[in-house]
PDB file of all heavy atoms in Angstrom:
ATOM      1  N   SER E 201      -4.566  19.147   2.702  1.00 81.00           N
ATOM      2  CA  SER E 201      -3.162  19.028   2.313  1.00 81.00           C
ATOM      3  C   SER E 201      -2.223  19.093   3.520  1.00 81.00           C
ATOM      4  O   SER E 201      -1.174  18.447   3.539  1.00 81.00           O
ATOM      5  CB  SER E 201      -2.792  20.077   1.272  1.00 81.00           C
ATOM      6  OG  SER E 201      -2.944  21.334   1.830  1.00 81.00           O
ATOM      7  N   GLU E 202      -2.623  19.837   4.572  1.00 78.00           N
ATOM      8  CA  GLU E 202      -1.759  19.934   5.757  1.00 78.00           C
ATOM      9  C   GLU E 202      -1.666  18.572   6.447  1.00 78.00           C
ATOM     10  O   GLU E 202      -0.575  18.090   6.798  1.00 78.00           O
ATOM     11  CB  GLU E 202      -2.325  20.982   6.723  1.00 78.00           C
ATOM     12  CG  GLU E 202      -1.337  21.352   7.800  1.00 78.00           C
ATOM     13  CD  GLU E 202      -1.954  22.254   8.875  1.00 78.00           C
ATOM     14  OE1 GLU E 202      -3.006  22.876   8.618  1.00 78.00           O
ATOM     15  OE2 GLU E 202      -1.389  22.307   9.958  1.00 78.00           O
ATOM     16  N   ALA E 203      -2.839  17.928   6.610  1.00 77.00           N
ATOM     17  CA  ALA E 203      -2.851  16.614   7.267  1.00 77.00           C
ATOM     18  C   ALA E 203      -2.102  15.590   6.409  1.00 77.00           C
ATOM     19  O   ALA E 203      -1.358  14.746   6.924  1.00 77.00           O
ATOM     20  CB  ALA E 203      -4.290  16.169   7.488  1.00 77.00           C
ATOM     21  N   THR E 204      -2.279  15.681   5.084  1.00 83.00           N
ATOM     22  CA  THR E 204      -1.590  14.760   4.172  1.00 83.00           C
ATOM     23  C   THR E 204      -0.081  14.892   4.317  1.00 83.00           C
ATOM     24  O   THR E 204       0.635  13.896   4.476  1.00 83.00           O
ATOM     25  CB  THR E 204      -1.996  15.067   2.707  1.00 83.00           C
ATOM     26  OG1 THR E 204      -3.391  14.823   2.588  1.00 83.00           O
ATOM     27  CG2 THR E 204      -1.239  14.220   1.723  1.00 83.00           C
ATOM     28  N   THR E 205       0.399  16.143   4.318  1.00 84.00           N
ATOM     29  CA  THR E 205       1.839  16.370   4.462  1.00 84.00           C
ATOM     30  C   THR E 205       2.335  15.812   5.784  1.00 84.00           C
ATOM     31  O   THR E 205       3.384  15.160   5.851  1.00 84.00           O
ATOM     32  CB  THR E 205       2.139  17.890   4.378  1.00 84.00           C
ATOM     33  OG1 THR E 205       1.580  18.358   3.158  1.00 84.00           O
ATOM     34  CG2 THR E 205       3.621  18.181   4.401  1.00 84.00           C
ATOM     35  N   GLY E 206       1.566  16.038   6.863  1.00 81.00           N
ATOM     36  CA  GLY E 206       1.965  15.546   8.186  1.00 81.00           C
ATOM     37  C   GLY E 206       2.090  14.030   8.198  1.00 81.00           C
ATOM     38  O   GLY E 206       3.069  13.487   8.743  1.00 81.00           O
ATOM     39  N   ILE E 207       1.146  13.351   7.579  1.00 85.00           N
ATOM     40  CA  ILE E 207       1.165  11.888   7.606  1.00 85.00           C
ATOM     41  C   ILE E 207       2.323  11.339   6.763  1.00 85.00           C
ATOM     42  O   ILE E 207       3.029  10.420   7.175  1.00 85.00           O
ATOM     43  CB  ILE E 207      -0.210  11.342   7.146  1.00 85.00           C
ATOM     44  CG1 ILE E 207      -1.202  11.563   8.290  1.00 85.00           C
ATOM     45  CG2 ILE E 207      -0.137   9.872   6.759  1.00 85.00           C
ATOM     46  CD1 ILE E 207      -2.636  11.446   7.903  1.00 85.00           C
ATOM     47  N   LEU E 208       2.550  11.946   5.616  1.00 89.00           N
ATOM     48  CA  LEU E 208       3.680  11.488   4.789  1.00 89.00           C
ATOM     49  C   LEU E 208       5.009  11.757   5.498  1.00 89.00           C
ATOM     50  O   LEU E 208       5.939  10.946   5.420  1.00 89.00           O
ATOM     51  CB  LEU E 208       3.644  12.157   3.412  1.00 89.00           C
ATOM     52  CG  LEU E 208       2.410  11.795   2.566  1.00 89.00           C
ATOM     53  CD1 LEU E 208       2.425  12.544   1.243  1.00 89.00           C
ATOM     54  CD2 LEU E 208       2.308  10.298   2.320  1.00 89.00           C
ATOM     55  N   ASP E 209       5.079  12.880   6.241  1.00 87.00           N
ATOM     56  CA  ASP E 209       6.299  13.172   7.021  1.00 87.00           C
ATOM     57  C   ASP E 209       6.517  12.106   8.094  1.00 87.00           C
ATOM     58  O   ASP E 209       7.650  11.696   8.345  1.00 87.00           O
ATOM     59  CB  ASP E 209       6.208  14.555   7.690  1.00 87.00           C
ATOM     60  CG  ASP E 209       6.462  15.670   6.698  1.00 87.00           C
ATOM     61  OD1 ASP E 209       6.941  15.368   5.587  1.00 87.00           O
ATOM     62  OD2 ASP E 209       6.173  16.830   7.019  1.00 87.00           O
ATOM     63  N   ILE E 210       5.427  11.668   8.723  1.00 85.00           N
ATOM     64  CA  ILE E 210       5.537  10.622   9.759  1.00 85.00           C
ATOM     65  C   ILE E 210       6.106   9.342   9.149  1.00 85.00           C
ATOM     66  O   ILE E 210       6.972   8.680   9.732  1.00 85.00           O
ATOM     67  CB  ILE E 210       4.138  10.330  10.354  1.00 85.00           C
ATOM     68  CG1 ILE E 210       3.786  11.416  11.341  1.00 85.00           C
ATOM     69  CG2 ILE E 210       4.097   8.976  11.042  1.00 85.00           C
ATOM     70  CD1 ILE E 210       4.562  11.329  12.629  1.00 85.00           C
ATOM     71  N   PHE E 211       5.643   8.983   7.969  1.00 90.00           N
ATOM     72  CA  PHE E 211       6.165   7.773   7.313  1.00 90.00           C
ATOM     73  C   PHE E 211       7.674   7.920   7.065  1.00 90.00           C
ATOM     74  O   PHE E 211       8.441   6.995   7.295  1.00 90.00           O
ATOM     75  CB  PHE E 211       5.446   7.510   5.989  1.00 90.00           C
ATOM     76  CG  PHE E 211       4.028   7.020   6.166  1.00 90.00           C
ATOM     77  CD1 PHE E 211       3.050   7.349   5.244  1.00 90.00           C
ATOM     78  CD2 PHE E 211       3.673   6.220   7.233  1.00 90.00           C
ATOM     79  CE1 PHE E 211       1.745   6.899   5.397  1.00 90.00           C
ATOM     80  CE2 PHE E 211       2.375   5.770   7.396  1.00 90.00           C
ATOM     81  CZ  PHE E 211       1.403   6.108   6.470  1.00 90.00           C
ATOM     82  N   ARG E 212       8.066   9.105   6.590  1.00 91.00           N
ATOM     83  CA  ARG E 212       9.497   9.313   6.316  1.00 91.00           C
ATOM     84  C   ARG E 212      10.315   9.221   7.603  1.00 91.00           C
ATOM     85  O   ARG E 212      11.379   8.625   7.632  1.00 91.00           O
ATOM     86  CB  ARG E 212       9.718  10.692   5.673  1.00 91.00           C
ATOM     87  CG  ARG E 212       9.234  10.767   4.238  1.00 91.00           C
ATOM     88  CD  ARG E 212       9.776  12.049   3.606  1.00 91.00           C
ATOM     89  NE  ARG E 212       9.066  12.390   2.403  1.00 91.00           N
ATOM     90  CZ  ARG E 212       8.065  13.254   2.334  1.00 91.00           C
ATOM     91  NH1 ARG E 212       7.648  13.880   3.408  1.00 91.00           N
ATOM     92  NH2 ARG E 212       7.459  13.503   1.192  1.00 91.00           N
ATOM     93  N   GLN E 213       9.774   9.827   8.676  1.00 87.00           N
ATOM     94  CA  GLN E 213      10.487   9.779   9.972  1.00 87.00           C
ATOM     95  C   GLN E 213      10.622   8.343  10.468  1.00 87.00           C
ATOM     96  O   GLN E 213      11.666   7.935  10.955  1.00 87.00           O
ATOM     97  CB  GLN E 213       9.689  10.533  11.031  1.00 87.00           C
ATOM     98  CG  GLN E 213       9.954  12.011  11.095  1.00 87.00           C
ATOM     99  CD  GLN E 213       8.979  12.670  12.066  1.00 87.00           C
ATOM    100  OE1 GLN E 213       8.593  12.102  13.069  1.00 87.00           O
ATOM    101  NE2 GLN E 213       8.564  13.867  11.725  1.00 87.00           N
TER     102      GLN E 213
END
Side-chain angles (χ1 to χ4, degrees):
S201 63
E202 193 188 341
T204 297
T205 305
I207 286 164
L208 296 178
D209 283 347
I210 282 287
F211 288 148
R212 288 193 197 97
Q213 274 173 35

